[in-house]
Amino acid sequence: MEREDLQPRVHDVAGAIETMETRGAAAIASEVADALRAQAVESEAETAAQLQAELRAVARTLIETRPTAVSLPNACRYILRRTVGDSVDTVRTSAVESAEEFQTRLATAQLDLGQVGANRLRDGDTVMTHCHSTDVIACVEAAVADGKDLSAMVKETRPREQGHITARELTELDVDVTLVVDSAARRYMNDIDHVLVGADAIAADGSVVNKIGTSGLAVVALERGAPVVVAAQTLKLDPATMTGNAVEIEMREESELLDADERDAIGEITVENPAFDVTPPRYVDAIVTERGQFPPESIVTLMRELFGEGSTEPWGTE
Ligand code: RUB
């Protein structure tokens, strides 16, 4: 049941994430910060406790929208932990400041990460991409700004074709783009210098959770000796995996694969539509973050440093 004390902006953000109008882990996190900020600004709460309870409810509402992108709970964690005060005004101010600080850090982290990723790319390289990741685009953008001439083989990324967004954005950066169907990856792998993908979540053992098809791409890349580089801000590290929890893989509607007529024509079948898959660390050459690049097996050290305080859920259960 929808809570009446949540602001319309919160429902708009939740709806846009659910329908994937807002998509990609970093963009989702930024919108989440915006929704928490809007609640703090517009709330009619009369006590600090009431406003804190509303902000926790905003977090719970948003976290339910898409289960895999850990940037979503991480954004809520960052903001709620810093939202303190004993009056409505102080809680409001600290929520607004924390949300804005979070968004600034998000943008800065992406720029810093981009430079680290760019350092790996050489003039004349061809990268292969999967889905659309703003962290990946940041790496290419920084490399282009460094004067490197790059080409990209862009997988279209069924069923929602986020590869089209990547193709458009890379073209705008003057990268020479070739679009291919997902199943053509192996056919072209000998021409590829780096496979460059983003992440929705990184587990403590260095496994990478990203758009469905990433793990198959990584297997092919390893077979052909092309390094797989994962561009992922530390916001994508999932602290809950340090205590053995698995990352939940979102299952989406079958209508993304078949329209109603196609469904009728096919007859009685089962359709599975997982949005993400898990690439084990042995297939990944490096995880590129704003803190530098890490072999996947060592990412847990960074995780402990960043989330030493634990993965508690400041949004509670009610
Ligand atoms: C998006 C996806 C992206 C990551 C990283 O999936 O898998 O690779 O979210 O994106 P979807 P970014 O389209 O289902 O949201 O680097 O922008 O955070």
Side-chain angles (χ1 to χ4, degrees):
M1 202 183 69
E2 275 192 7
R3 282 179 61 136
E4 283 171 8
D5 52 0
L6 300 196
Q7 297 302 313
R9 174 85 180 115
V10 173
H11 297 299
D12 290 351
V13 168
I17 295 173
E18 229 155 31
T19 58
M20 288 180 63
E21 198 184 312
T22 299
R23 49 146 300 281
I28 289 172
S30 179
E31 282 294 285
V32 163
D34 218 53
L36 284 164
R37 197 187 60 81
Q39 182 70 33
V41 171
E42 309 287 339
S43 168
E44 288 170 12
E46 287 171 1
T47 64
Q50 213 179 331
L51 180 52
Q52 291 275 23
E54 287 178 15
L55 292 169
R56 289 197 297 272
V58 171
R60 289 195 299 275
T61 302
L62 295 171
I63 285 165
E64 275 170 17
T65 54
R66 290 195 80 188
T68 304
V70 74
S71 59
L72 207 169
N74 278 349
C76 294
R77 231 176 242 122
Y78 184 98
I79 296 162
L80 293 189
R81 277 202 186 127
R82 288 163 180 77
T83 298
V84 290
D86 47 18
S87 69
V88 171
D89 277 350
T90 50
V91 171
R92 175 174 287 135
T93 306
S94 74
V96 169
E97 283 176 1
S98 308
E100 288 170 357
E101 182 185 283
F102 175 82
Q103 285 175 320
T104 307
R105 287 174 68 122
L106 193 67
T108 310
Q110 196 162 69
L111 284 177
D112 292 348
L113 167 158
Q115 194 53 59
V116 178
N119 293 341
R120 293 190 57 113
L121 304 174
R122 294 154 306 185
D123 189 30
D125 273 359
T126 301
V127 297
M128 182 175 275
T129 65
H130 185 59
C131 198
H132 169 259
S133 152
T134 54
D135 284 349
V136 163
I137 300 287
C139 297
V140 175
E141 189 168 7
V144 170
D146 288 346
K148 295 171 191 170
D149 197 13
L150 299 176
S151 302
M153 188 144 282
V154 173
K155 294 175 73 212
E156 61 179 352
T157 317
R158 292 280 166 154
R160 294 185 70 109
E161 298 178 333
Q162 291 94 327
H164 292 192
I165 310 170
T166 304
R168 191 182 61 242
E169 291 185 3
L170 292 181
T171 304
E172 283 164 10
L173 293 173
D174 280 337
V175 172
D176 188 12
V177 170
T178 304
L179 185 72
V180 291
V181 293
D182 295 320
S183 40
R186 188 165 183 270
R187 164 80 174 74
Y188 290 103
M189 195 52 82
N190 286 344
D191 307 330
I192 300 302
D193 300 293
H194 296 271
V195 168
L196 195 50
V197 294
D200 280 81
I202 309 267
D205 69 350
S207 297
V208 173
V209 183
N210 192 48
K211 180 54 55 188
I212 189 78
T214 302
S215 63
L217 175 62
V219 170
V220 170
L222 184 70
E223 182 213 25
R224 296 287 161 105
V228 175
V229 178
V230 177
Q233 304 181 43
T234 55
L235 180 69
K236 317 288 179 65
L237 304 180
D238 187 344
T241 59
M242 286 194 289
T243 46
N245 294 298
V247 177
E248 184 183 341
I249 300 293
E250 175 184 358
M251 301 299 289
R252 295 192 60 86
E253 297 295 315
E254 64 175 46
S255 57
E256 290 186 344
L257 274 72
L258 296 171
D259 64 30
D261 290 345
E262 287 170 328
R263 188 76 176 83
D264 285 347
I266 283 181
E268 206 43 52
I269 57 162
T270 303
V271 177
E272 290 277 312
N273 185 18
F276 303 101
D277 66 19
V278 182
T279 303
R282 65 182 177 278
Y283 296 103
V284 176
D285 189 63
I287 298 173
V288 166
T289 78
E290 74 276 17
R291 301 279 297 263
Q293 72 162 5
F294 294 81
E297 293 83 0
S298 76
I299 204 76
V300 67
T301 316
L302 180 62
M303 258 172 156
R304 286 211 186 95
E305 187 190 321
L306 294 172
F307 297 101
E309 53 200 296
S311 62
T312 51
E313 300 179 347
W315 45 85
T317 50
E318 53 156 7

